[in-house]
């Protein structure tokens, strides 16, 4: 199992029953990139992918 997979599994185990808004998620991602700027590109790519996930034109 990759390190990232463990993080995703932990997120699901700890917070999987919660409902959050996309606004809340966007704020957490911004906080993360503010404290870890080296991940800004990866977070931006992830956010763009989520934004366009079910867009048939992309």
């Amino acid at each position: 199992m990759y390190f990232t997979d463990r993080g995703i599994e932990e997120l699901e185990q700890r917070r999987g029953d919660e409902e959050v808004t996309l606004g809340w998620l966007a704020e957490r991602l911004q906080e993360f990139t503010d404290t870890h700027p080296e991940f800004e590109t990866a977070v931006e790519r992830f956010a763009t992918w989520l934004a366009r996930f079910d867009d048939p034109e992309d």
Side-chain angles (χ1 to χ4, degrees), residues 15-55:
R15 318 257 338 212
D17 294 333
E18 296 178 21
E19 291 187 24
V20 299
T21 66
L22 289 176
W24 180 90
L25 177 60
E27 289 175 12
R28 300 301 74 77
L29 290 172
Q30 186 63 56
E31 288 174 7
F32 180 79
T33 58
D34 287 347
T35 56
H36 303 284
E38 66 273 19
F39 292 106
E40 184 173 3
T41 299
V43 169
E44 288 295 324
R45 287 181 180 169
F46 175 64
T48 300
W49 179 78
L50 282 177
R52 298 174 183 174
F53 179 72
D54 56 3
D55 188 347

